[in-house]
Amino acid sequence: MGLLFIDAAAMVFTMPQALYPVLADQQFGGGPGVVGLLYAAPARGALIGAATIGRAGGHALIGAVLLWGLSLTAFGATSYLPLALVLLSLAGLGDLISETLRSALLQHGTPDELRGRVSGLWMVQATVSPALDNAAVGLLAELTGARTAVVMGGLFCVVATLVVAAAFPALRDARLTASPESSESSDQAPPNATDAGHGDAESPTDAETPTKEWAR
């Protein structure tokens, strides 16, 4: 539940792609070339995120979503194009890291018998949310203006993320590590394994039986 809610916090009112054309015109005074730069900037940050992300957990996920929200808030507030592109790159970095960790933690923490259903729910949210959120941002821009809509969406993301982090301690403590049970079973050595090759008088049949039992 924490993963699904923090995904919603990262998406609702914080997808500014639908506003890039109007932002390029009104905020940065450019044309189609500026629109293209705005669309490309998050991808540069995502490449950096893909090259640097490692094994992490809930705290890194929360930090990445906060980076996404704060970067978009600052992006909506600036009219300086080079700075705006840097901020969008940071937003793309946070988005890639958070999306990767959300997916990994979901698979890691879901019991085998529920993984199909939970993954189906996750895919529905991942497919539908961006389209609905772009529509919501567009509606908000009609009411408040494009720049204000981006700033409000970023602030909403930050506040909602902090609320979700406070409400779900399990999300904060989530780790991408093997369970203690798995580690213990993988570290166990087969019975009589240390005796192999020492010329014991046991018959082959007697020596094989404990190993087969351990394998089961």
Side-chain angles (χ1 to χ4, degrees), residues 26 34 38 41 72 85 101 191 196 214:
Q26 297 180 1
V34 175
L38 296 179
L72 289 180
L85 296 177
L101 289 177
W214 172 83

Side-chain angles (χ1 to χ4, degrees), residues 40-52 67 85-97:
R44 290 194 292 269
L47 286 174
I48 298 173
T52 57
L67 175 62
L85 296 177
V86 171
L87 290 169
L88 282 180
S89 296
L90 288 175
L93 172 68
D95 186 42
L96 185 282
I97 292 176

Side-chain angles (χ1 to χ4, degrees), residues 17-104:
Q17 287 89 338
L19 303 180
Y20 284 165
V22 67
L23 290 172
D25 178 44
Q26 297 180 1
Q27 187 167 340
F28 304 109
V34 175
V35 176
L37 290 175
L38 296 179
Y39 276 110
R44 290 194 292 269
L47 286 174
I48 298 173
T52 57
I53 190 172
R55 293 176 66 87
H59 285 90
L61 168 59
I62 294 167
V65 179
L66 289 174
L67 175 62
W68 159 259
L70 290 170
S71 298
L72 289 180
T73 302
F75 164 72
T78 185
S79 297
Y80 184 52
L81 181 59
L83 177 59
L85 296 177
V86 171
L87 290 169
L88 282 180
S89 296
L90 288 175
L93 172 68
D95 186 42
L96 185 282
I97 292 176
S98 67
E99 191 170 336
T100 302
L101 289 177
R102 289 198 304 266
S103 179

Side-chain angles (χ1 to χ4, degrees), residues 76 140 144-153:
L140 184 61
T144 65
R147 294 185 64 174
T148 303
V150 174
V151 173
M152 291 178 63

Side-chain angles (χ1 to χ4, degrees), residues 88-201:
L88 282 180
S89 296
L90 288 175
L93 172 68
D95 186 42
L96 185 282
I97 292 176
S98 67
E99 191 170 336
T100 302
L101 289 177
R102 289 198 304 266
S103 179
L105 287 169
L106 185 83
Q107 295 297 323
H108 182 75
T110 304
D112 290 343
E113 64 273 13
L114 298 177
R115 188 165 288 121
R117 281 172 284 176
V118 172
S119 296
L121 177 62
W122 182 264
M123 289 302 298
V124 168
Q125 177 170 300
T127 302
V128 175
S129 290
L132 293 178
D133 297 335
N134 271 308
V137 168
L139 178 61
L140 184 61
E142 286 285 342
L143 299 175
T144 65
R147 294 185 64 174
T148 303
V150 174
V151 173
M152 291 178 63
L155 292 175
F156 176 88
C157 173
V158 172
V159 173
T161 299
L162 293 175
V163 170
V164 172
F168 293 91
L171 178 64
R172 301 195 305 268
D173 298 334
R175 293 290 183 274
L176 288 173
T177 55
S179 63
E181 293 80 4
S182 301
S183 301
E184 290 175 3
S185 61
S186 63
D187 291 339
Q188 286 179 351
N192 297 331
T194 55
D195 295 334
H198 289 281
D200 290 344

